[in-house]
């Protein structure tokens, strides 16, 4: 959407479907970018399902990863956390 201006933007339904497919095959942290105000732009804990990172556009509104764990259930969250 940023610089590929000669093609139409990816439909929202396509982004939702891509996220669903990723989650169905076992990917744990699939989220949609450039989708303000949509549930799909957040990252959820694979264990308890609560929101770990809430986003709005490029902004992180809330980060519930403490150390490398979910602050709700203690599940280890993969990745490099700062
Ligand atoms: Zn959790």
């Amino acid at each position: 959407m940023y610089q590929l201006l000669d093609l139409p933007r990816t439909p929202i339904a396509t982004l939702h479907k891509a996220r669903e497919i990723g989650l169905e095959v076992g990917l744990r942290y699939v989220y949609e970018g450039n989708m303000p105000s949509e549930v799909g732009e957040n990252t959820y804990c694979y264990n308890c399902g609560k929101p770990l990172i809430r986003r709005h556009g490029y902004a992180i509104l809330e980060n519930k990863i403490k150390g490398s764990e979910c602050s709700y259930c203690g599940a280890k969250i993969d990745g490099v956390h700062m």
Side-chain angles (χ1 to χ4, degrees):
M1 188 173 140
Y2 172 51
Q3 289 188 329
L4 192 61
L5 301 176
D6 58 330
L7 294 175
R9 66 184 295 180
T10 304
I12 291 173
T14 302
L15 295 175
H16 288 331
K17 179 136 181 99
R19 179 172 179 266
E20 288 172 12
I21 291 169
L23 292 171
E24 285 172 9
V25 299
L27 297 177
R28 290 180 168 178
Y29 315 107
V30 187
Y31 67 94
E32 302 159 15
N34 289 339
M35 294 282 298
S37 301
E38 296 286 338
V39 171
E41 72 177 343
N42 297 327
T43 297
Y44 296 88
C45 176
Y46 66 90
N47 190 51
C48 70
K50 292 189 175 169
L52 290 173
I53 300 174
R54 290 192 315 109
R55 299 179 181 84
H56 183 77
Y58 293 113
I60 292 177
L61 304 177
E62 188 173 44
N63 183 347
K64 299 302 259 183
I65 301 171
K66 301 298 176 203
S68 60
E69 296 179 348
C70 170
S71 63
Y72 298 105
C73 73
K76 182 182 182 318
I77 305 302
D78 304 297
V80 177
H81 310 286
M82 296 182 222

